[in-house]
């Protein structure tokens, strides 16, 4: 969520950076970075981009004033969820067993 309260949906591939040329970069799913990113992304091998590029990318991310919202279920609901899950597996197992017996007897 940005400072204006706009929520960005979670992308299937997550957020990332895409070079636009001439050291310009787009923060995929969010917008274009206002600052220049030195060097070309993706040429750092396994080590990642150089320190100057990492700092510029961090500045880009910070310029969007993004906040991560995480919600958790309270601990008191843990066993309720465990029983719901267990019950759904028992029902599914019973249905599949019935379907298997029905299929065998019919054919």
């Amino acid at each position: 969520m940005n400072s204006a309260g706009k929520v960005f949906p979670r992308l299937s591939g997550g957020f990332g950076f895409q070079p636009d040329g001439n050291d310009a970069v787009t923060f995929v799913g969010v917008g274009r970075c206002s600052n220049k990113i030195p060097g070309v992304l993706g040429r750092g091998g396994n080590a990642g981009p150089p320190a100057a590029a990492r700092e510029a990318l961090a500045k880009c991310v910070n310029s969007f004033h993004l906040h991560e919202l995480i919600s958790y279920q309270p601990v008191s609901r843990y066993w309720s969820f465990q029983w719901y899950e267990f019950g759904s597996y028992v029902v599914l197992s019973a249905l599949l067993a019935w379907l298997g017996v029905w299929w065998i007897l019919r054919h």
Side-chain angles (χ1 to χ4, degrees):
M1 177 168 63
N2 65 9
S3 59
K6 181 178 178 186
V7 176
F8 293 99
R10 185 86 160 150
L11 303 174
S12 60
F15 294 109
F17 296 97
Q18 182 173 357
D20 289 343
N22 297 336
D23 291 338
V25 173
T26 297
F27 189 17
V28 178
V30 180
R32 187 169 183 181
C33 297
S34 60
N35 59 325
K36 298 287 185 182
I37 311 296
V40 179
L41 292 175
R43 289 195 181 172
N46 291 335
R54 282 195 304 270
E55 290 175 15
L57 292 172
K59 182 179 177 184
C60 170
V61 172
N62 291 336
S63 71
F64 290 106
H65 305 286
L66 300 175
H67 306 278
E68 186 173 14
L69 297 176
I70 300 173
S71 62
Y72 295 97
Q73 293 294 328
V75 174
S76 62
R77 298 187 69 190
Y78 176 80
W79 285 110
S80 298
F81 283 124
Q82 292 296 308
W83 284 110
Y84 296 147
E85 185 177 11
F86 173 72
S88 64
Y89 284 129
V90 168
V91 169
L92 182 62
S93 298
L95 286 173
L96 288 174
W98 175 83
L99 180 65
V101 169
W102 175 81
W103 186 267
I104 289 169
L105 293 176
R106 183 172 168 130
H107 296 290

